[in-house]
């Protein structure tokens, strides 16, 4: 196959990838979009096989490895519970990162195959591209591993900070740049290996200071990094499909990070620098005065909701932890049978990744046109009889509007306080992730339901 | 003087960033999780580099370091391609509209 024809095929798969993302603008077109993505990938792989034209022993091994990886991936995809989606995505990011590192290493060890020159005499531009690709890939890999461990709960979600952390990271970035410079000058293997090792370390150090609830930003950011790494490799291999994809994924992750930061009213840098929600913030806890709290049981909740004409449900990370989405849907079914109007309100940063709550509700067969984003539904709280807050906390805290001293001041919140009565399903009065008290707990119209989210929801359903 | 082909690739790259910017802003927020898993899958098109690396040379060189890294990259990318697309498919299949009946 001529290189020109090959390039055209890569362009086609690049376009199909664009269409795959375009399809996600609505759930109806999304499945077709995913199909475009699969076709694009198939084209890219098949034409690469044909162009390589080498169907010897190596090809057989390749197929075996492809099969191993593919069946492993398929197995994971079918078995993974929807609640584990954040850690799955983090895990996948780490694989893309590591694959980028491996491809960069092969290109460095055997540059002739990729037309990059010869060992010890690689084109300067290619060297810069492949070391950038390898470096970003390595950062993505180790960073995603940390994110995965934190999301999975193997590692504590608390931020790990130490003195001089940011200077150390800065030093590592500078040393990577200096090493790339020397690699271009001397082309010694050692510089290349050192770049990769330092980048692994940097990825690790970048993510450990970031706390659990900032994970939506971290995952989106790593998503973006994996794209830039792919683009770096795309430049090295002079492959259009890879360059287009890298740019798409890179900007996609960047936009998601931006949306998540805006949802928390925090600057991107304050998230990256980390340390938010750490133990040092518990100092505010000393002024803990005993405020009266109204707590109720499932009976009261059922009574309130049965007599309501409209109910808005506010799910949060706690719903995911308790796996309460199915129980919730069953409760809503009963309510709807009783003529209650029910809708769902999703805060942009609810859960541990962008769109986390939407997937869980979709899994529980909640129609997506009953699920609303913050801007769409926020005005409806004023006319709603009952807000059922299940596993959310900080995103409903009115302090974000009224208390300029609060760490979450300025964060857009769901106006749960405006509804006639609020039902809070929560295990205890403990503050949420931001480490601050929620005023809403002590309001006259709030009823606290202290229980596991799933059990409480099930009991309410029985009482309805 | 001729234009360096690098400039063409850079142009593709920059324009694709713009395409990505507009396309991703039009993605509905409720599909942000599938967006992440599908971007994951498509960025594994890096497998083309791995294929070229692992098929380099003849049957005597397939266990050279460069080829072995290629094979490893194939396994990782394959996990991602299959895992990413299938899990996206699984998620998207769950998004349903309200039933008209009743």
């Amino acid at each position: 196959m001529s290189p020109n024809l090959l390039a055209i095929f890569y362009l086609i798969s690049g376009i199909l990838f664009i269409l795959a993302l375009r399809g996600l603008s609505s759930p109806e077109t999304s499945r077709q979009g995913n199909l475009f993505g699969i076709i694009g990938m198939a084209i890219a792989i098949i034409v690469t096989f044909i162009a390589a034209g080498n169907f010897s022993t190596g090809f057989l091994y390749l197929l075996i490895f492809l099969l191993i990886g593919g069946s492993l991936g398929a197995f994971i995809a079918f078995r993974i519970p929807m609640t584990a989606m954040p850690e799955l995505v983090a895990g996948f990011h780490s694989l893309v990162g590591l694959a980028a590192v491996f491809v960069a290493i092969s290109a460095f060890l055997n540059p002739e195959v990729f037309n990059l020159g010869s060992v010890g005499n690689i084109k300067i531009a290619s060297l810069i591209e492949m070391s950038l690709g390898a470096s970003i890939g390595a950062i993505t890999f180790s960073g995603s591993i940390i994110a995965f461990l934190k999301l999975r709960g193997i590692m504590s979600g608390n931020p790990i900070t130490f003195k001089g952390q940011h200077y150390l990271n800065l030093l590592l970035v500078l040393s990577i740049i200096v090493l790339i410079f020397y690699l271009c000058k001397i082309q010694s293997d050692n510089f290349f290996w050192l770049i990769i090792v330092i980048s692994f370390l940097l990825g690790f150090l970048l993510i450990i200071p970031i706390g659990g609830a900032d994970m939506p930003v971290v995952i989106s950011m790593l998503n973006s990094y994996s794209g830039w790494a792919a683009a770096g490799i795309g430049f090295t291999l002079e492959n259009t499909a890879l360059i287009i994809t890298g740019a798409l994924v890179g900007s996609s992750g960047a936009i998601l990070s931006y949306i998540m930061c805006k949802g928390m009213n925090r600057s991107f840098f304050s998230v990256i620098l980390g340390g938010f929600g750490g133990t040092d913030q518990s100092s505010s806890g000393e002024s803990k005065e005993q405020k009266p709290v109204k707590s109720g049981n499932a009976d009261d909740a059922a009574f309130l909701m049965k007599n309501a004409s409209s109910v808005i449900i506010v799910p949060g990370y706690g719903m995911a932890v308790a796996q309460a989405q199915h129980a919730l849907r069953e409760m809503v079914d009963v309510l709807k049978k009783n003529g209650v109007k029910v809708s769902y309100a999703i805060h942009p940063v609810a859960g541990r990744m962008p769109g986390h709550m939407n997937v869980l509700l979709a899994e529980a067969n909640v129609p997506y046109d009953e699920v609303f984003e913050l801007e769409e539904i926020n005005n409806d709280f004023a006319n709603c009889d009952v807000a059922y807050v299940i596993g959310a906390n900080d995103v409903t805290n009115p302090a974000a509007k009224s208390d300029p001293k609060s760490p979450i001041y300025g964060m857009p919140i769901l106006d749960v306080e405006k509804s006639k009565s609020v039902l809070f399903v929560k295990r205890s009065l403990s503050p949420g992730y931001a480490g601050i008290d929620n005023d809403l707990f002590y309001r006259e119209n709030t009823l606290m339901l202290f229980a596991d989210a799933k059990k409480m929801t099930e009991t309410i359903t029985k009482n309805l | 003087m001729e234009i360096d082909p690098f400039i063409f690739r850079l142009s593709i790259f920059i324009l694709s960033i713009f395409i990505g910017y507009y396309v991703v802003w039009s993605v509905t927020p409720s599909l942000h999780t599938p967006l992440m898993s599908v971007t994951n899958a498509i960025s594994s098109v890096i497998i083309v580099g791995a294929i070229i690396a692992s098929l380099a040379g003849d049957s005597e060189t397939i266990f050279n370091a460069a080829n072995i890294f290629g094979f490893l990259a194939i396994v990782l990318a394959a996990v991602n391609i299959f895992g990413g697309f299938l899990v996206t498919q699984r998620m998207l299949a769950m998004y349903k509209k309200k039933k008209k009946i009743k």
Side-chain angles (χ1 to χ4, degrees):
Chain A
M1 192 182 291
S2 82
N4 289 335
L5 188 60
L6 189 63
I8 300 230
F9 274 115
Y10 285 138
L11 179 64
I12 292 173
S13 49
I15 293 169
L16 286 167
F17 292 153
I18 295 173
L19 293 177
L21 299 195
R22 183 78 188 91
L24 290 172
S25 55
S26 105
E28 285 110 71
T29 54
S30 62
R31 284 168 278 254
Q32 190 194 28
N34 199 38
L35 194 64
F36 282 140
I38 296 172
I39 297 172
M41 185 62 73
I43 292 177
I45 293 176
I46 291 169
V47 296
T48 311
F49 278 148
I50 297 173
N54 180 353
F55 296 100
S56 59
T57 341
F59 185 68
L60 202 70
Y61 281 105
L62 190 152
L63 284 187
I64 293 172
F65 283 113
L66 194 66
L67 207 68
I68 295 174
S71 34
L72 196 64
F75 179 76
I76 297 171
F78 285 118
R79 294 299 296 274
I80 191 92
M82 285 297 145
T83 38
M85 213 39 81
E87 49 263 46
L88 179 75
V89 168
F92 278 167
H93 286 158
S94 73
L95 299 183
V96 179
L98 197 58
V101 174
F102 285 167
V103 173
I105 293 175
S106 331
F108 183 75
L109 293 177
N110 196 357
E112 283 96 347
V113 204
F114 298 101
N115 298 320
L116 309 176
S118 55
V119 177
N121 190 22
I122 302 174
K123 282 185 278 181
I124 300 294
S126 308
L127 268 182
I128 298 176
E129 289 153 7
M130 74 170 78
S131 35
L132 279 179
S135 172
I136 302 173
I139 293 172
T140 314
F141 171 70
S142 54
S144 302
I145 293 285
I146 301 298
F148 175 84
L149 293 176
K150 284 192 172 191
L151 287 164
R152 189 93 209 140
I154 299 171
M155 200 175 143
S156 149
N158 289 333
I160 299 168
T161 48
F162 54 86
K163 237 182 162 181
Q165 193 165 26
H166 306 318
Y167 293 106
L168 178 63
N169 292 344
L170 190 67
L171 192 74
L172 291 179
V173 173
L174 290 177
S175 61
I176 290 173
I177 296 171
V178 171
L179 281 169
I180 293 179
F181 178 75
Y182 277 104
L183 178 70
C184 296
K185 265 185 106 169
I186 311 176
Q187 304 226 353
S188 151
D189 297 18
N190 293 336
F191 289 127
F192 188 69
W193 301 123
L194 208 55
I195 290 170
I196 294 177
V197 171
I198 295 179
S199 305
F200 277 134
L201 187 67
L202 182 62
F204 172 77
L205 288 171
L206 276 176
I207 308 302
I208 54 167
I210 304 180
D214 278 342
M215 279 302 145
V217 183
V218 172
I219 297 195
S220 326
M221 189 180 82
L222 292 167
N223 187 230
S224 179
Y225 285 179
S226 69
W228 303 131
I233 303 294
F235 275 104
T236 320
L237 309 184
E238 311 187 339
N239 184 310
T240 332
L242 207 40
I243 295 176
I244 295 177
T245 315
L248 289 179
V249 177
S251 49
S252 158
I255 291 171
L256 289 177
S257 319
Y258 170 79
I259 296 174
M260 293 300 111
C261 285
K262 220 177 109 214
M264 296 191 283
N265 188 41
R266 302 191 41 213
S267 80
F268 188 63
F269 282 102
S270 82
V271 175
I272 299 304
L273 295 178
F276 190 71
T279 37
D280 46 324
Q281 242 143 13
S282 60
S283 53
S284 59
E286 59 198 47
S287 60
K288 224 177 223 166
E289 53 210 284
Q290 286 292 322
K291 281 184 268 186
V293 172
K294 276 206 293 186
S295 90
N297 57 29
D299 233 357
D300 309 329
F303 178 78
L304 265 173
M305 283 201 268
K306 210 191 310 190
N307 293 309
S309 64
S310 69
V311 172
I312 297 181
I313 293 176
V314 182
Y317 182 57
M319 180 188 84
V321 175
Q323 307 250 24
Q325 66 270 30
H326 296 280
L328 187 65
R329 217 262 353 277
E330 279 157 28
M331 181 185 92
V332 170
D333 283 349
V334 179
L335 283 176
K336 278 201 229 155
K337 241 178 238 159
N338 285 322
V340 184
K341 185 177 165 280
V342 185
S343 35
Y344 299 80
I346 313 257
H347 191 274
V349 295
R352 285 290 185 266
M353 75 184 295
H356 192 184
M357 291 300 122
N358 303 78
V359 171
L360 293 182
L361 292 177
E363 186 200 11
N365 282 323
V366 173
Y368 60 82
D369 39 8
E370 286 175 14
V371 183
F372 298 94
E373 304 298 319
L374 182 128
E375 300 85 33
E376 296 170 322
I377 200 166
N378 229 0
N379 291 330
D380 297 354
F381 279 107
N383 306 319
C384 115
D385 296 313
V386 178
Y388 187 70
V389 184
I390 173 165
N393 183 2
D394 290 335
V395 297
T396 64
N397 195 336
K401 280 189 182 162
S402 54
D403 179 9
K405 274 180 285 177
S406 169
I408 60 165
Y409 181 69
M411 176 170 117
I413 57 156
L414 290 162
D415 290 329
V416 169
E417 52 170 335
K418 288 189 183 150
S419 52
K420 286 199 194 82
S421 48
V422 182
L423 295 172
F424 244 105
V425 187
K426 219 170 164 309
R427 289 226 194 94
S428 67
L429 267 186
S430 63
Y433 163 73
I436 42 170
D437 219 9
N438 192 342
D439 232 12
L440 217 49
F441 297 166
Y442 314 106
R443 294 276 170 96
E444 196 45 35
N445 59 351
T446 304
L447 194 63
M448 299 298 293
L449 306 167
F450 294 114
D452 174 76
K454 190 177 174 188
K455 278 196 196 108
M456 176 52 77
T457 309
E458 280 166 352
T459 328
I460 293 174
T461 313
K462 270 181 218 139
N463 284 321
L464 274 171
Chain B
M1 208 179 111
E2 261 189 82
I3 301 170
D4 191 322
F6 172 78
I7 301 300
F8 289 120
R9 285 191 281 277
L10 189 68
S11 321
I12 294 174
F13 180 62
I14 307 273
L15 291 176
S16 304
I17 292 178
F18 277 93
I19 295 174
Y21 179 85
Y22 289 108
V23 168
V24 172
W25 270 117
S26 73
V27 170
T28 159
S30 68
L31 291 175
H32 276 163
T33 298
L35 171 68
M36 298 197 92
S37 61
V38 84
T39 50
N40 226 312
I42 64 172
S43 55
S44 301
V45 73
I46 201 161
I47 198 170
V48 299
I51 293 172
I52 298 169
S54 58
L55 287 182
D58 47 35
S59 47
E60 273 148 46
T61 60
I62 55 163
F63 289 118
N64 281 356
N67 295 54
I68 289 182
F69 275 113
F71 283 128
L72 290 177
I74 285 180
V75 177
L76 298 177
V79 172
N80 248 326
I81 292 171
F82 283 80
F85 280 124
L86 288 173
V87 90
T88 310
Q89 194 76 23
R90 211 182 121 198
M91 275 192 271
L92 293 176
M94 299 184 315
Y95 282 83
K96 289 188 194 88
K97 247 191 160 153
K98 214 181 306 192
K99 282 191 204 92
K100 288 277 149 65
I101 350 151
K102 275 200 269 199

